[in-house]
Amino acid sequence: MGHGDLMSRAEDLADQFLRVSRRYLPHAARLCLVSTFLEDSVRMWFHWSDQSGYINSTWGCGGLLANAFVLINLLGQLGSCVLILSRNFVEPACCALFGIIALQMVAYSMLWDLRFLMRNLALGGGLLLLLAECRQEARSVFAGVPSVAQRRSPKHLLQLGGRVLLILMFMTLLHLELSALSVLKDLVGTALVLLVAVGFKTKLAALTLVAWLLCINVTFNAFWTVPAYTAFHDFLKYDFFQTTSVIGGLLLVVALGPGGVSVDEKKKEW
């Protein structure tokens, strides 16, 4: 069986998966995407004093502002997740979550930590895809091939931005070691994320990345195997839910397709 036959077989399997899961996939994608915000809002509630104390000691803003910060994070994240999962006021909810991400990046000094910065930007990419999902497709007055205006519609530009930002998550997973296995994993992972970014064989590449991330998540971020009182447990839990949110973004790529600004869409014209 040649390379072309293997690729065709893999694409057929991906299409079959989409046909079976089409009804449920967007719901699963949204739940995965907001999971890190739900977890963080629960953490804010159960560790209120720790969070407010940290903000107060770091910024010297006083107890009132520190408690207001925790309250805004808790209500903002929880309320936005409920709206997104119920498909009500999705755009304002996404904007609120963008604000929460920006607020936390400043408050917790994540702007100077490249790894955390890239992961939060990847999370923002997932929210862009969520915005694209709720946007109505701009329709051309001409039937047939999509117009340039359609390909550059806000929905398609949001999909492009979301795809590009999502790949930042995988940049944090590269080991850059000289062993044969590490080099192979880095090369395969880089190839897949580039395919998603440019929108070529997008659904197949995104599904492969979903499977890869699921394996990494349950293997290396298994926070349930670490005692809850340790700092390492909290670190793994944070990584687990952030990775789950990026998986949700990739599932949205699978459900929505790459959009008009992609190689896959260009191939239809060729």
Side-chain angles (χ1 to χ4, degrees), residues 36-248:
T36 190
F37 298 107
L38 287 172
E39 187 276 331
D40 196 53
S41 63
V42 172
R43 182 171 59 88
M44 289 289 174
W45 175 258
F46 285 103
H47 299 277
W48 185 299
S49 59
D50 293 336
Q51 295 298 317
S52 62
Y54 173 82
I55 294 298
N56 188 19
S57 62
T58 301
W59 295 96
C61 57
L64 181 62
L65 286 179
N67 281 288
F69 169 85
V70 178
L71 182 63
I72 290 170
N73 275 271
L74 192 158
L75 296 180
Q77 291 181 104
L78 187 59
S80 297
C81 290
V82 170
L83 291 175
I84 288 171
L85 293 175
S86 63
R87 300 186 69 106
N88 293 308
F89 305 102
V90 175
E91 291 192 18
C94 286
C95 292
L97 291 179
F98 275 121
I100 295 291
I101 292 174
L103 180 62
Q104 290 192 356
M105 286 174 66
V106 174
Y108 295 114
S109 302
M110 293 181 184
L111 291 171
W112 319 119
D113 189 317
L114 185 59
R115 181 173 179 271
F116 283 108
L117 177 61
M118 293 173 74
R119 291 200 167 198
N120 277 279
L121 289 175
L123 192 57
L127 291 176
L128 288 180
L129 291 168
L130 192 57
L131 283 173
E133 186 200 22
C134 70
R135 283 290 184 108
Q136 291 295 325
E137 185 73 42
R139 297 187 178 275
S140 171
V141 294
F142 301 102
V145 178
S147 67
V148 173
Q150 277 184 295
R151 292 196 299 268
R152 296 178 181 175
S153 68
K155 176 181 177 180
H156 290 151
L157 294 177
L158 287 171
Q159 286 176 272
L160 173 63
R163 293 198 323 267
V164 171
L165 288 177
L166 276 180
I167 71 172
L168 295 177
M169 165 62 77
F170 300 92
M171 304 306 293
T172 68
L173 299 175
L174 297 178
H175 296 292
L176 301 177
E177 298 174 357
L178 295 180
S179 66
L181 183 59
S182 292
V183 170
L184 179 61
K185 289 192 297 183
D186 288 348
L187 288 176
V188 172
T190 301
L192 288 171
V193 298
L194 289 177
L195 288 176
V196 171
V198 302
F200 181 63
K201 305 288 185 183
T202 314
K203 293 182 179 181
L204 177 59
L207 274 176
T208 306
L209 285 173
V210 166
W212 185 30
L213 269 186
L214 279 172
C215 292
I216 289 175
N217 217 18
V218 298
T219 303
F220 297 105
N221 295 329
F223 64 89
W224 52 88
T225 64
V226 178
Y229 57 83
T230 62
F232 190 51
H233 174 274
D234 293 337
F235 177 80
L236 290 179
K237 193 174 183 181
Y238 173 83
D239 265 9
F240 179 88
F241 283 101
Q242 279 231 322
T243 305
T244 301
S245 290
V246 173
I247 288 173

Side-chain angles (χ1 to χ4, degrees), residues 12-29:
D12 290 341
L13 289 174
D15 289 336
Q16 184 178 358
F17 170 79
L18 286 175
R19 285 193 295 271
V20 172
S21 62
R22 188 175 299 276
R23 179 181 298 182
Y24 312 104
L25 192 59
H27 302 290

